[in-house]
Amino acid sequence: MARSDWIPGLRVAATYKSGYLPRDLVAGIVLTTLLVPQGMAYAELAGLPAITGLYTSILCLVAYAVFGPSKVLVLGPDSSLGPMIAAVVIPLVASGGDPEKAVALASVLALLVGLFMTIAAVAKLGFVADLLSHPTQLGYMHGLALTILIGQLPKLFGFSVDADGLFAEAGGFVKGVADGETVPAALAIGVGGLIVIGVLRRWLPKVPGILVAVVLAIIAVAVFDLEDKGVDLVGPLPQGFPPFTVPTVSWSELGLLAAGALGITLVSVTDTISTASAFAGRTGQEVRGNQEMAGIGAANLAAGLFQGFPVSTSGSRTAVAFQAGARTQVTGLVGAAAITLMLVLVPGLLRDLPQPMLAAVVITASMSLTDFPGLRRLWKQRRVEFSLAVAAFLGVALLGVLPGIAVAVGLSVLNVFRRTWWPYRTTLGRAEGINGFHDVREHPAAELMPGLVLFRFDAPLIFANARSFREEIRHIANADPAPKWIVVAAEPITDVDTTAADMLEELDAELDAEGVALVFAEMKHPVRAKLDRYKLTGKIEEEHFFPTVEDAVAAYQRRHGQAWSHPPRVV
């Protein structure tokens, strides 16, 4: 594999056109206006100092520009990962909070996510993104949005709550409001920020609403002296480039961090693949899942070595960069350089940024995680999958963020298993005016042939559904009058495992004793080869295998002289 395949930044550097630079510069500056407030807000969402959000943004942008394959994807601190990071880090930090300890834990978490991503990329495990089905992802994201919203409400109202879990935090918030802990000036700043961001996003989407709200909030602090009125501020930020740091944790902490890193890795991969797919067509690129994981892995490793925390792709920031004219990852490099210059030259620029405004930024981001039209569509189209979404939502709401991701993955896997366990099965008939044989449920007037049942089973035949297949065939064989042939239209059967093969051998002998022939038609060659390997085709007569259903029907007609008619249905 060429070096440029694993380091796409080399190819970009070698083929970069000077005409791209003006657009990348403008897009990078526009992107910075979003990166700074969101990076700080998402850092605090993760239970970390605001400055770590800026450190993280710088390093992940640079690393992805070198190792990431997409032209326009923007990585950085993410609202969906913030609660997951907090769920891992906060319980490990001593009571009362130790910022340095929290940063070290978060940095190790980023290194572990980077390691898992890199291993997955080398092993070509891009398919792990499929472990979260769309319905369960919808439910999980809505649970996450509610968790973020409840967690940020106290900060929006100007006080804090010492509670763990959605219901405990909601109860603490209600109690705080009832006890008069609300700081009116803080609430005014927070609600004002929500209104400004919402109005500009709705009516003037090209105007950077978050930047406007942040600037207005800083001006309000200075004009109305809001710090003396109880409004918490971000305060001065450390000056200079983030220092290179190798974080250390205990072995007991490492195990807990690794478990959390696996969940974060899965969510990050899923989010990145879906976002990359959405933008790939617009940029004329194909999604390279394994290389995307390598890029995210490099971004997390870089962030973890410079006091950062786990990152993922941001759909909103990517959209901003794309709409601003970004052509290459030079846009991200411009953003990283701009943040670095701010920290080196004017670290006090955001000292007067109110904490309630950061809460407003996070709450706005949490709303972007919701997709109520998608839920309504599931309700109308497929109630089972809507139930999966609700179950995933409840998993997050009742059990917490990390258990919620386990619930979501488990439900996705169980849904696949359910479809295999209880697949669709039906009998076929000859519908008037249509060639071939068709589902009698869809064509209730279809003709049947006396003594012949055409049975279709829409799943691989494996241990999980072998018993239900056997019981269905027995039910058909016990009809009155009993059929002479049961032809299995086997084209949808993509596999037969040893458990199912043993079942077929026993079932064939049982039906033979009752004078009923078990016949197979349109069996795929790889499946037939497995039956040969199991020695099953020597026990089921060779003449009971036909290349097409038509051939099986013709053979039955020759042997029994029957014609198509409308006898009572065999159910």
Side-chain angles (χ1 to χ4, degrees):
M1 181 178 292
R3 182 182 301 177
S4 60
D5 290 335
W6 281 108
I7 310 178
L10 294 177
R11 184 169 58 251
V12 172
T15 60
Y16 193 78
K17 299 179 181 178
S18 59
Y20 291 168
L21 187 59
R23 291 188 178 186
D24 283 340
L25 283 172
V26 171
I29 298 301
V30 172
L31 182 62
T32 304
T33 65
L34 193 62
L35 289 170
V36 173
Q38 282 193 342
M40 298 172 69
Y42 297 164
E44 296 202 342
L45 175 62
L48 301 168
I51 186 63
T52 60
L54 302 184
Y55 290 167
T56 301
S57 298
I58 294 171
L59 273 304
C60 74
L61 289 171
V62 172
Y64 188 81
V66 176
F67 293 97
S70 173
K71 295 178 181 178
V72 297
L73 283 191
V74 178
L75 265 65
D78 188 65
S79 58
S80 64
L81 297 189
M84 300 181 72
I85 298 168
V88 178
V89 170
I90 292 177
L92 295 176
V93 178
S95 177
D98 179 353
E100 291 186 4
K101 176 71 171 177
V103 170
L105 292 168
S107 295
V108 172
L109 192 61
L111 292 174
L112 289 171
V113 171
L115 178 63
F116 292 156
M117 286 284 190
T118 303
I119 292 173
V122 173
K124 301 186 184 301
L125 299 179
F127 64 87
V128 298
D130 299 331
L131 289 178
L132 271 179
S133 67
H134 182 63
T136 52
Q137 190 176 4
L138 267 180
Y140 173 78
M141 287 301 179
H142 279 84
L144 206 57
L146 181 61
T147 300
I148 293 171
L149 174 63
I150 297 299
Q152 292 298 305
L153 283 177
K155 184 187 293 186
L156 191 76
F157 278 64
F159 62 92
S160 61
V161 170
D162 185 13
D164 185 23
L166 181 66
F167 294 104
E169 290 181 350
F173 168 69
V174 171
K175 184 177 184 300
V177 173
D179 291 344
E181 296 182 30
T182 301
V183 177
L187 181 60
I189 284 289
V191 173
L194 288 174
I195 293 173
V196 170
I197 295 171
V199 168
L200 291 179
R201 179 173 292 179
R202 175 68 178 84
W203 300 107
L204 297 170
K206 292 187 177 181
V207 175
I210 292 178
L211 176 63
V212 171
V214 165
V215 171
L216 291 177
I218 293 175
I219 292 173
V221 168
V223 171
F224 299 106
D225 198 18
L226 296 183
E227 186 173 14
D228 290 339
K229 296 179 181 179
V231 178
D232 290 334
L233 306 180
V234 169
L237 299 177
Q239 185 174 20
F241 191 79
F244 176 83
T245 307
V246 179
T248 58
V249 296
S250 67
W251 285 106
S252 60
E253 292 169 336
L254 188 62
L256 296 172
L257 290 170
L262 286 173
I264 292 172
T265 299
L266 177 59
V267 171
S268 183
V269 169
T270 303
D271 191 31
T272 296
I273 297 300
S274 61
T275 304
S277 300
F279 284 91
R282 305 183 193 183
T283 58
Q285 287 186 289
E286 293 183 359
V287 177
R288 298 165 57 192
N290 294 312
Q291 184 58 49
E292 286 292 356
M293 288 193 294
I296 306 170
N300 278 281
L301 290 172
L305 291 173
F306 288 86
Q307 298 187 11
F309 51 86
V311 298
S312 181
T313 300
S314 168
S316 62
R317 291 191 290 272
T318 299
V320 167
F322 183 78
Q323 292 168 2
R327 302 300 297 269
T328 69
Q329 283 298 327
V330 170
T331 295
L333 294 177
V334 172
I339 297 173
T340 301
L341 289 174
M342 184 194 76
L343 291 177
V344 172
L345 301 179
V346 283
L349 184 64
L350 299 174
R351 185 188 71 82
D352 291 336
L353 176 60
Q355 290 286 357
M357 179 52 63
L358 292 183
V361 171
V362 172
I363 290 173
T364 302
S366 73
M367 294 300 99
S368 69
L369 299 178
T370 62
D371 182 7
F372 293 108
L375 287 177
R376 285 196 296 270
R377 187 168 58 252
L378 281 181
W379 171 258
K380 294 178 180 179
Q381 296 177 349
R382 197 173 178 92
R383 296 290 174 86
V384 171
E385 295 195 349
F386 176 81
S387 299
L388 290 175
V390 171
F393 168 80
L394 293 175
V396 177
L398 299 177
L399 302 178
V401 175
L402 289 177
I405 188 67
V407 169
V409 171
L411 288 172
S412 296
V413 174
L414 284 175
N415 191 34
V416 173
F417 189 70
R418 177 189 63 83
R419 294 176 183 177
T420 303
W421 194 357
W422 296 305
Y424 185 77
R425 74 284 303 274
T426 188
T427 54
L428 307 178
R430 191 174 68 169
E432 184 177 357
I434 307 176
N435 291 330
F437 304 96
H438 304 277
D439 189 341
V440 297
R441 297 178 187 175
E442 298 294 326
H443 303 275
E447 295 178 314
L448 303 179
M449 185 172 290
L452 173 69
V453 176
L454 303 178
F455 175 69
R456 195 183 73 203
F457 190 80
D458 292 353
L461 194 51
I462 59 174
F463 71 95
N465 57 33
R467 184 182 62 81
S468 65
F469 178 92
R470 180 183 59 204
E471 294 306 315
E472 192 75 25
I473 295 295
R474 282 176 175 172
H475 176 69
I476 294 172
N478 290 333
D480 186 19
K484 297 182 178 67
W485 277 25
I486 299 175
V487 177
V488 178
E491 196 273 338
I493 299 177
T494 56
D495 190 18
V496 176
D497 69 6
T498 55
T499 301
D502 292 341
M503 176 275 296
L504 289 176
E505 181 179 351
E506 295 171 3
L507 182 61
D508 180 66
E510 177 184 321
L511 294 177
D512 281 346
E514 298 175 3
V516 179
L518 182 62
V519 177
F520 296 89
E522 298 184 0
M523 181 172 284
K524 297 179 184 296
H525 177 73
V527 178
R528 176 64 186 273
K530 289 182 180 179
L531 297 189
D532 292 338
R533 193 159 62 247
Y534 301 151
K535 308 297 184 184
L536 187 59
T537 47
K539 298 170 184 176
I540 299 178
E541 294 88 339
E542 178 65 29
E543 59 268 22
H544 284 181
F545 289 89
F546 293 90
T548 68
V549 176
E550 287 82 358
D551 289 333
V553 171
Y556 176 80
Q557 286 182 298
R558 287 194 300 270
R559 182 169 301 183
H560 297 284
Q562 295 289 348
W564 292 101
S565 63
H566 294 279
R569 290 282 187 271
V570 178
V571 181

